[in-house]
Amino acid sequence: MNNPENTIQNTIKKAIAGNQIAFSTLLNIFWNDVYGFQLKRTKNENDAEDITIQTFSKAFDKLSSYNSKYEFKTWLISISKNIHIDLIRKRKNNVLDPWNNNDAVKKALDNSPSPEDQLITEQNLATLLAHIKQLKPHYQKVINLRYFNELSYADIAEQLNEPINNVKVKLLRAKKLLAEAIKNKN
């Protein structure tokens, strides 16, 4: 009988090695736990979704620092809680300093590609394009703007006339669907 924790640990090891499907698997397994936790804390779907996206982004960037002595879900929840606390502090500072311009912060956070971003850009281009064409048009568009036009989230949001959080969610969902399409092909 396969121990679920061993399976998760193996998936984490694959993700650390750069396996895109492993990243998607971890996202699929733990998304609802992190999102549900944040929804209870924030009582706001947009904030919960945004914090959840940031949690996975930060976790995937720092995956090699994960200590397998602890449950992965607990580690994710801790990251999520810290991001929420930072958000509260940032909002508190913005209320105190209404002239504060956050453009520099957005650009600094936006410019470094995540491991998922790097993996997608390194895929065999012809195969990748074929998989992208199978996605719905709005997912194709965000993938093309991010990876082929190399636009930042803020630039994509401006071009699509949508909030930056919507762009992040669409991109996350597009990557998830793309990973599933690649997995099904293999």
Side-chain angles (χ1 to χ4, degrees):
M1 187 109 191
N2 235 358
N3 181 350
E5 189 57 33
N6 284 343
T7 305
I8 290 169
Q9 293 303 321
N10 289 336
T11 305
I12 292 168
K13 287 176 186 171
K14 288 177 184 176
I16 291 171
N19 183 312
Q20 174 65 33
I21 295 169
F23 283 111
S24 275
T25 302
L26 292 172
L27 182 75
N28 289 338
I29 292 170
F30 295 103
W31 176 271
N32 288 339
D33 293 324
V34 176
Y35 178 76
F37 173 78
Q38 281 303 329
L39 191 57
K40 287 178 185 173
R41 283 177 68 102
T42 64
K43 295 177 179 38
N44 180 311
E45 290 179 10
N46 290 332
D47 285 347
E49 198 165 46
D50 190 38
I51 293 168
T52 303
I53 289 168
Q54 290 177 38
T55 298
F56 281 99
S57 176
K58 190 170 191 173
F60 290 164
D61 284 344
K62 306 285 185 195
L63 200 54
S64 59
S65 70
Y66 166 68
N67 184 343
S68 60
K69 291 179 188 174
Y70 305 103
E71 275 192 56
F72 189 67
K73 176 181 169 183
T74 305
W75 186 65
L76 286 172
I77 295 295
S78 296
I79 292 170
S80 179
K81 190 177 356 176
N82 290 335
I83 290 171
H84 183 230
I85 290 168
D86 290 345
L87 179 70
I88 291 170
R89 286 183 187 143
K90 191 185 299 182
R91 286 182 179 166
K92 191 181 211 181
N93 287 339
N94 285 343
V95 169
L96 296 176
D97 183 6
W99 294 276
N100 188 9
N101 186 350
N102 287 328
D103 289 343
V105 173
K106 288 177 189 170
K107 287 180 181 175
L109 294 174
D110 208 11
N111 287 337
S112 61
S114 71
E116 281 184 289
D117 293 342
Q118 292 170 352
L119 288 171
I120 286 180
T121 56
E122 293 169 3
Q123 291 289 335
N124 179 315
L125 187 58
T127 306
L128 187 59
L129 287 172
H131 289 298
I132 291 171
K133 287 182 181 178
Q134 294 173 355
L135 298 175
K136 291 182 180 178
H138 60 278
Y139 291 137
Q140 287 180 29
K141 189 164 191 164
V142 292
I143 290 276
N144 285 327
L145 291 171
R146 179 69 175 166
Y147 298 105
F148 296 103
N149 296 343
E150 298 179 355
L151 296 181
S152 67
Y153 293 123
D155 291 341
I156 295 169
E158 187 176 318
Q159 187 163 348
L160 297 178
N161 196 25
E162 291 187 16
I164 198 165
N165 292 345
N166 289 5
V167 170
K168 289 178 182 179
V169 171
K170 277 186 183 178
L171 196 56
L172 186 69
R173 288 181 182 156
K175 288 190 281 189
K176 179 180 168 186
L177 292 170
L178 191 56
E180 287 173 5
I182 292 168
K183 180 180 176 183
N184 292 338
K185 177 84 174 192
N186 297 336

